[in-house]
Amino acid sequence: MTMMIAAVVIMLGVSACGSDDDSETALATEVIGSYTGNEIITVMGDESSNGTATYEFAKSSDTSIDMTIPQSGSGGMAIPALSVKNIPLTRGNNTISGKLASYSGKVTNAKGEERAFTLSNVTVIFKDKSVVVTFSLKYGNMPFDMITTFTGTKK
């Protein structure tokens, strides 16, 4: 009986201490932080905004992140900061990337009005201390999508 218990304990110890891939569990930790760079927004193929922006990435889980898109525009065309939750991350070659086909949420604008938004084709690619983010945004009742490309460097 003692030998059988010892064998079970050894087997559990060996399987628990196997070659787990710890690199996958720390993906979010590797990329979280603030990234500042150039954000280009196009509407119907025309550039509507081109300037400096700061995107924030926070850990949602070991293998997913939350992204905060900074506010853009001004006056009646102002869009408040938007949060995108639970972007799953994967490692490939020298990059860590995340993709979401679609994400919908609601945000309160400067006038206190609640607006719906939908992002589609969200792609986030991290390499070294840089990030490239692309997405299509449909905000409130706007009739056209806003295509955004952000390229930034970690602060």
Side-chain angles (χ1 to χ4, degrees):
M1 184 64 134
T2 305
M3 293 299 279
M4 187 164 58
I5 292 173
V8 169
V9 168
I10 290 171
M11 290 300 291
L12 290 175
V14 169
S15 64
C17 296
S19 62
D20 294 339
D21 188 1
D22 292 333
S23 65
E24 290 300 313
T25 60
L27 291 178
T29 304
E30 291 182 42
V31 300
I32 60 174
S34 299
Y35 292 74
T36 299
N38 189 47
E39 179 185 60
I40 300 171
I41 301 172
T42 58
V43 178
M44 295 182 56
D46 292 328
E47 193 174 286
S48 69
S49 175
N50 184 338
T52 302
T54 299
Y55 280 54
E56 301 282 337
F57 297 92
K59 183 178 177 179
S60 176
S61 73
D62 284 343
T63 57
S64 66
I65 55 172
D66 296 339
M67 175 174 67
T68 301
I69 301 165
Q71 77 174 41
S72 61
S74 61
M77 296 300 290
I79 298 173
L82 305 174
S83 293
V84 182
K85 305 287 186 186
N86 296 314
I87 301 171
L89 299 174
T90 58
R91 184 184 307 276
N93 296 330
N94 296 326
T95 64
I96 295 174
S97 60
K99 290 187 179 193
L100 282 177
S102 181
Y103 181 87
S104 296
K106 292 186 179 185
V107 67
T108 303
N109 65 17
K111 295 179 181 178
E113 303 165 330
E114 188 174 76
R115 296 278 189 243
F117 69 92
T118 301
L119 280 84
S120 56
N121 302 316
V122 179
T123 302
V124 182
I125 301 171
F126 298 93
K127 183 173 182 178
D128 299 323
K129 298 285 184 187
S130 298
V131 67
V132 175
V133 178
T134 58
F135 58 87
S136 177
L137 169 64
K138 179 82 169 163
Y139 177 74
N141 295 325
M142 293 179 75
F144 305 106
D145 287 353
M146 300 170 64
I147 310 301
T148 301
T149 302
F150 171 75
T151 305
T153 304
K154 192 171 190 176
K155 289 182 173 180

